[in-house]
Amino acid sequence: MGGRWPATDPLRGGTLGTRPAPARRIWRLRRKKGSAGAAEWGCSALWEASGSTWSSGPQGVLSTASRCRARLSAVCSPVLPTASPRPGAKSKCWSLSSPWSSLHAARRNICPASATPLLPTALEPLKDVHLGLAPPGRGPARLTILSGHYLYYHYGCDGLDDRGWGCGYRTLQTLCSWPDGLPAGVPGLVEVQAALEDMGDKPRGFRGSRSWIGCVEAGLCLDYFGGPQGRLCHVPRGAGLQGELERLYSHFAGGGGPVMVGGDVDAQSKALLGVCLGPGTEAYVLVLDPHCWGAPKTLSELQVAGWVGWREVCTTFDPNSFYNLCLTSHNSEKQLHSQD
């Protein structure tokens, strides 16, 4: 039995290809019946016989190497700095190593062509970095956040300089650390790439590359590594996340875990940790941003820098972008094994 992506797959787009392959386990997304509005997709494992066809279509808008290379920082950092503020955060202090300030940094600190930026050392991930944040809004509201615990993975936290291309991997690592908030079972970036090759989702040579990944790849890897269950949801272009707020509220209120989100125009992967609705038409989401480059030592340092915090939905998400969501929940199979 061969696996194919749907010909009009909104999650990836493109056309189907054929490729002879040895027998191996592959993965297919299938649309759930009866889903209204945003399309929900589930992952199903298949076995592909030698010589059968499979999808070798595009690797997704979030996996374009040329786009991520263009955003790589040009800064040569001799030491790992403290956490630099998130772009748009209310702070007057900017680190030259911030990937968004690379143009200004390059003008003031140009590295020789032969110079290679020193890689940071591995850090111990901080846990539950949203704790202590004040609720948003100015009055009564419906507020809910995720249950359980998680670790904050971000650029360079394991000693690998992945600025400009690793945000999807880091968000996936945060998802894998839930609900226990432990590093056990959290795959490294190369392990994720090798797994996607092994599943047949990516071609040979993907391992060791700087290609992006998004929510589709995250959903496959959650199942592959035995992490929490992932449910994919596609939000069409122009809809934004306004129409998904009740779904997200129910997800977190029902004990759900972090939600990965990413799109095409807005291609920066991030995690959602909670929702606050009201008063009136106000709506906020609790965002965990993996683009931090530095060595944050405390929760308050990250919160002041803006890498975790409540953001207004209408100004945070681009209505010109489609979005994919990967909603995590407890792995029922893992719970059964633990009870045995």
Side-chain angles (χ1 to χ4, degrees):
M1 181 176 181
R4 287 181 176 267
W5 294 104
T8 57
D9 185 358
L11 296 176
R12 298 200 182 201
T15 57
L16 298 175
T18 60
R19 180 176 180 178
R24 62 177 180 272
R25 195 182 189 189
I26 65 171
W27 303 84
R28 182 175 65 182
L29 293 181
R30 49 188 172 79
R31 186 166 185 165
K32 293 185 178 179
K33 296 182 179 179
S35 59
E40 288 190 26
W41 297 72
C43 297
S44 59
L46 302 173
W47 287 95
E48 182 183 59
S50 177
S52 61
T53 60
W54 70 301
S55 171
S56 60
Q59 298 177 17
V61 294
L62 304 186
S63 303
T64 307
S66 60
R67 291 176 61 185
C68 69
R69 291 194 189 100
R71 300 182 56 205
L72 289 176
S73 173
V75 180
C76 181
S77 304
V79 295
L80 187 63
T82 56
S84 55
R86 181 185 66 82
K90 296 180 180 180
S91 174
K92 296 181 180 179
C93 299
W94 281 83
S95 167
L96 291 183
S97 61
S98 172
W100 290 271
S101 60
S102 59
L103 177 60
H104 300 286
R107 289 174 178 171
R108 291 177 289 176
N109 184 26
I110 299 177
C111 298
S114 59
T116 302
L118 297 178
L119 295 180
T121 55
L123 308 171
E124 182 176 352
L126 295 177
K127 187 175 182 179
D128 299 338
V129 297
H130 69 284
L131 295 180
L133 284 170
R138 297 164 292 180
R142 299 162 53 206
L143 186 151
T144 181
I145 60 174
L146 80 170
S147 60
H149 307 280
Y150 65 91
L151 298 176
Y152 175 49
Y153 287 86
H154 57 88
Y155 281 164
C157 63
D158 58 0
L160 174 65
D161 187 351
D162 58 322
R163 287 175 289 178
W165 59 273
C167 58
Y169 299 87
R170 300 306 183 185
T171 305
L172 169 60
Q173 289 179 315
T174 292
L175 267 57
C176 289
S177 70
W178 183 83
D180 299 321
L182 299 173
V186 177
L189 274 63
V190 175
E191 291 179 273
V192 171
Q193 294 177 334
L196 291 170
E197 276 194 22
D198 182 57
M199 286 184 278
D201 182 73
K202 300 298 181 188
R204 293 186 182 276
F206 180 76
R207 176 175 169 177
S209 70
R210 292 180 172 179
S211 296
W212 296 10
I213 65 169
C215 290
V216 174
E217 292 89 347
L220 297 176
C221 288
L222 287 175
D223 190 273
Y224 183 92
F225 290 106
Q229 291 181 333
R231 187 174 82 253
L232 297 178
C233 173
H234 179 72
V235 183
R237 192 184 314 279
L241 289 191
Q242 290 287 350
E244 302 306 310
L245 294 176
E246 288 296 337
R247 182 200 301 267
L248 291 170
Y249 185 92
S250 299
H251 169 77
F252 290 119
V259 176
M260 182 174 176
V261 57
D264 58 345
V265 178
D266 178 9
Q268 295 181 349
S269 293
K270 55 191 78 71
L272 306 182
L273 307 178
V275 176
C276 181
L277 304 178
T281 59
E282 293 183 21
Y284 301 85
V285 286
L286 182 55
V287 176
L288 183 66
D289 194 329
H291 297 87
C292 171
W293 170 259
K297 297 179 176 60
T298 64
L299 309 189
S300 60
E301 181 182 341
L302 283 171
Q303 295 170 8
V304 170
W307 296 112
V308 58
W310 291 99
R311 302 188 197 173
E312 198 165 3
V313 173
C314 64
T315 59
T316 301
F317 299 95
D318 192 337
N320 297 315
S321 177
F322 75 70
Y323 284 98
N324 292 329
L325 306 177
C326 183
L327 298 87
T328 58
S329 57
H330 291 278
N331 191 322
S332 56
E333 292 184 4
K334 182 182 291 187
Q335 287 181 329
L336 289 175
H337 288 312
S338 62
Q339 292 174 359
D340 294 341

